Amino acid sequence: MSGHTTSGKAATTPMSSSFVAIAAVAWASFVRSKHPSVISTNHDVYLFFFIDCRGRPGIDPPVSENYFGTCITGCLVRAMAHDLLAVDGVGAASAAIQREVRRAAEDPLALWDWLDIVSWVPLDKMVSINGSTRFKAYEVANFGWGAPSRTELVTMSDGRVVLVAAKNGAVQASVCMHLDHGSAFSSHFLSSLVDSCVCSTIFDAN
């Protein structure tokens, strides 16, 4: 499933960024789509994403903003499933994500060994966010054949969400979910966007 979002009226739950807003809705939708068959109310659920370490404190030697290369570390957010299943589950998800964003800004190296996460986090209870709402994939991915009509990550796994900046100021969110949960995820994702007025969305289901 993939979609493009465009800004609408203000959300009822304050969001610090388009990244936090979309990640929160995706995480809550993921939990709801897998409840109760895979995720119970007393389960811990997780969301993982990367942050750019360039220009952040705590890096020695410092890495400048114009460093050309990979300089990222992981961020892991944990919550109880019952909090995301609640009426304001998107708000609870947003608050948890924003806390981790603030933590990462202050101590970006706390999860430098992020590859170890796969050894103990149950992957069927984790959403993985890749990309960024700031990645201008449609502006920079011109390899001599003209601007792309569609940009997607070739390989995706269950629970992965890929974000890129789309055309005309929109955000493209591509989501991979198992067929058993895809319809429920899409339904909750779209209704949450409308109910919270975060954005309006057009989805293509694959």
Side-chain angles (χ1 to χ4, degrees), residues 101-202:
V101 169
R102 289 193 294 268
R103 194 280 313 158
E106 296 172 0
D107 186 10
L109 295 183
L111 271 182
W112 67 270
D113 192 17
W114 56 267
L115 283 173
D116 181 60
I117 289 172
V118 299
S119 69
W120 62 272
V121 171
L123 300 183
D124 61 346
K125 297 176 180 64
M126 183 178 78
V127 173
S128 178
I129 307 287
N130 296 106
S132 167
T133 55
R134 299 178 182 179
F135 285 178
K136 299 179 180 180
Y138 288 88
E139 294 182 21
V140 301
N142 185 336
F143 302 102
W145 304 300
S149 58
R150 186 77 176 193
T151 298
E152 294 284 359
L153 188 66
V154 175
T155 303
M156 295 178 66
S157 55
D158 183 46
R160 179 169 292 186
V161 179
V162 179
L163 303 177
V164 297
K167 302 172 184 178
N168 302 317
V171 174
Q172 175 179 306
S174 301
V175 182
C176 181
M177 289 291 296
H178 191 279
L179 288 174
D180 291 344
H181 311 113
S183 295
F185 177 94
S186 180
S187 175
H188 185 266
F189 190 88
L190 293 172
S191 64
S192 293
L193 293 177
V194 172
D195 291 344
S196 64
C197 302
V198 173
C199 47
S200 59
T201 307
I202 301 174

Side-chain angles (χ1 to χ4, degrees), residues 26-71:
W27 194 16
S29 300
F30 173 86
V31 173
R32 285 185 175 274
S33 70
K34 290 194 170 187
H35 174 73
S37 60
V38 177
I39 295 175
S40 299
T41 55
N42 62 340
H43 280 154
D44 285 335
V45 290
Y46 305 85
L47 181 132
F48 178 83
F49 58 93
F50 291 104
I51 64 163
D52 186 353
C53 291
R54 292 176 298 178
R56 295 188 183 273
I59 310 294
D60 186 19
V63 180
S64 66
E65 293 281 2
N66 59 0
Y67 170 76
F68 185 77
T70 301
C71 186

